[in-house]
Amino acid sequence: MRIALDCKDVILERALELFLKEYLVAKKDCDFIICDEKISNPKPLFIISDNSPYLQIPFSKEKLFDSLKEFDEALRIAAKKLAEEQKRILEQRIEELANEFKKEYEEKIDRAILSLKEKLVKALMNEPN
């Protein structure tokens, strides 16, 4: 888990810094951001507030870690599902392209064979007996 903090409540942020010091990184490098209110950021937000679905105040260190591990695992599962779906779509597209190429190639071969057959027939018809 790589976590960034962005709390308006200074006391909450300091407590989180103490609890999570080995997990803290810059926002650009984090997996998610812990905040105490919704912020505008493309990273996933773990919100700690009185009515948060993730973690309400007050909380224990143990409850914090349990909630963070659960949140992190949910993010990993979602990322894995997304990657699998993207892989499936990519494989399907590759299959479609391969089939298109195969069809075009077969048509070119058929035309080349037909052309050779016509030339051979013409040559045989023009050949004096």
Side-chain angles (χ1 to χ4, degrees):
M1 273 189 305
R2 297 172 306 159
I3 302 170
L5 301 176
D6 190 351
C7 296
K8 304 294 181 223
D9 184 334
V10 177
I11 295 171
L12 174 60
E13 185 151 330
R14 295 292 177 248
L16 291 170
E17 286 173 357
L18 289 172
F19 290 156
L20 302 170
K21 59 186 164 214
E22 64 263 17
Y23 300 100
L24 298 180
V25 296
K27 279 186 188 176
K28 65 180 179 64
D29 300 323
C30 71
D31 297 326
F32 60 91
I33 299 171
I34 298 177
C35 51
D36 51 0
E37 59 185 47
K38 190 171 175 93
I39 59 172
S40 177
N41 196 296
K43 300 276 185 161
L45 303 178
F46 182 91
I47 301 174
I48 299 175
S49 68
D50 293 333
N51 57 355
S52 171
Y54 306 116
L55 186 63
Q56 286 104 29
I57 298 173
F59 58 86
S60 66
K61 185 176 179 179
E62 182 180 335
K63 180 66 176 157
L64 170 66
F65 277 97
D66 289 345
S67 297
L68 288 174
K69 287 177 184 172
E70 184 178 315
F71 185 78
D72 187 55
E73 184 62 25
L75 288 178
R76 291 181 193 282
I77 290 170
K80 183 178 180 184
K81 284 181 182 177
L82 179 61
E84 288 171 354
E85 179 63 16
Q86 289 174 336
K87 179 183 174 190
R88 186 191 64 75
I89 290 169
L90 184 59
E91 287 173 343
Q92 183 179 5
R93 183 66 182 135
I94 290 169
E95 180 81 21
E96 289 169 2
L97 290 171
N99 286 337
E100 286 176 29
F101 177 77
K102 179 181 174 188
K103 182 179 177 185
E104 288 175 19
Y105 194 69
E106 286 173 346
E107 287 172 358
K108 285 179 182 179
I109 290 173
D110 288 344
R111 283 194 301 271
I113 291 172
L114 183 60
S115 175
L116 286 172
K117 180 180 173 184
E118 288 172 356
K119 287 177 184 178
L120 183 61
V121 168
K122 227 184 228 186
L124 290 173
M125 296 295 257
N126 291 334
E127 185 179 287
N129 288 340

